[in-house]
Amino acid sequence: MMIDLHISLLSIALAAFINMWLGIRCSQLRISDKVLHGDGGNAALAKRMRAHANFVEYTPLAMVLVLALDMTDHHGWVLALSALAFLIARVLHAFGMDLDRPNKLRMIGVLVTWLCYALWIGWAVIAALGYAR
């Protein structure tokens, strides 16, 4: 029996692409400012490194939740759109981190990330309890 994991596969592929893009953004500053290790005291590089780290902190568990829901036949447009919203939010957050002031990009990125997390956590708990019968 073949499981349909199109949502998970596409979400994980897009997440990997975003992760690579965030790493490239850091590398570009490292090269242009000749920073070999750490942030070299470069505030812009520190912000980009933190945006990349933040992505790495949130995304793996998010993709596990998406995969688990997808594997347990809880897929569909809600899972697909929430996965897309999560990934767009992570990009908005990264751009927001470049700025030196509180901003809507960062705020929207954080809020949508947390909303998707809350949705998937609740959904996974309900699904798990439903299977426990």
Side-chain angles (χ1 to χ4, degrees), residues 30 33-40 45:
R30 284 186 182 287
D33 295 359
K34 297 177 175 60
V35 177
L36 188 57
H37 299 288
D39 62 25
L45 180 56

Side-chain angles (χ1 to χ4, degrees), residues 20-67:
M20 183 176 68
W21 168 72
L22 290 168
I24 289 169
R25 291 178 75 222
C26 292
S27 295
Q28 289 172 329
L29 277 179
R30 284 186 182 287
I31 291 166
S32 68
D33 295 359
K34 297 177 175 60
V35 177
L36 188 57
H37 299 288
D39 62 25
N42 181 319
L45 180 56
K47 288 185 271 188
R48 286 195 178 177
M49 288 171 63
R50 190 62 213 125
H52 189 202
N54 190 274
F55 182 84
V56 172
E57 291 162 4
Y58 276 94
T59 305
L61 280 177
M63 293 299 104
V64 168
L65 285 165
V66 169
L67 177 62

